[in-house]
Amino acid sequence: MELKELAERECVELLASQVIGRVAVVVEDRANVFPVNYVLDNGYIVFRTDEGTKLDAARAGAVVTFEVDKSDPLYHTGWSVMVTGRLEAVTDPHELRRVRALPVRAWGRNGQQWLRMPITSISGRRINAAPILT
């Protein structure tokens, strides 16, 4: 197996190519990981939620981690991208109108609240299968 660090540009391209990721929020020294449908919008990861842990974290301006990946278990290949940023609730009426037009559905219930996370730092890795020698 070959593990390769990805350039920032490739990380952003891979992030933009997917629609489901996971956001990790630390509450009382415990990581909580939530799947979300998302869209990449002008350097922000944007998703919807309802009242609860993610919205509380956004209201507190918590730093969170977002992860997206893709793998092929048959060939033992894949990639993973990790993003860190300060989660924020979208509350400005003009910005709310704009993000509500984005193609993102809530994971689960109604998802009446819109959250976004700027890409403060991003990194990624790709795992390639080793060539088969004969």
Side-chain angles (χ1 to χ4, degrees), residues 37-132:
N37 292 325
Y38 75 97
V39 66
L40 189 59
D41 177 54
N42 297 318
Y44 287 88
I45 295 166
V46 178
F47 60 95
R48 296 167 59 178
T49 193
D50 285 310
E51 291 290 333
T53 305
K54 295 182 295 295
L55 185 56
D56 292 344
R59 288 176 175 151
V63 173
V64 300
T65 298
F66 186 87
E67 190 268 347
V68 64
D69 58 46
K70 191 168 184 180
S71 63
D72 183 331
L74 179 62
Y75 293 102
H76 302 275
T77 61
W79 55 263
S80 175
V81 172
M82 302 283 284
V83 181
T84 301
R86 193 168 299 279
L87 196 58
E88 56 190 53
V90 180
T91 58
D92 176 74
H94 174 71
E95 188 64 8
L96 268 173
R97 276 191 300 277
R98 193 185 73 71
V99 297
R100 284 180 177 144
L102 295 173
V104 62
R105 295 180 46 159
W107 183 275
R109 298 176 293 193
N110 297 327
Q112 297 299 312
Q113 305 294 321
W114 289 81
L115 303 182
R116 68 183 179 186
M117 181 185 125
I119 298 174
T120 303
S121 69
I122 189 168
S123 63
R125 295 179 177 177
R126 181 181 303 278
I127 297 172
N128 294 317
I132 298 173

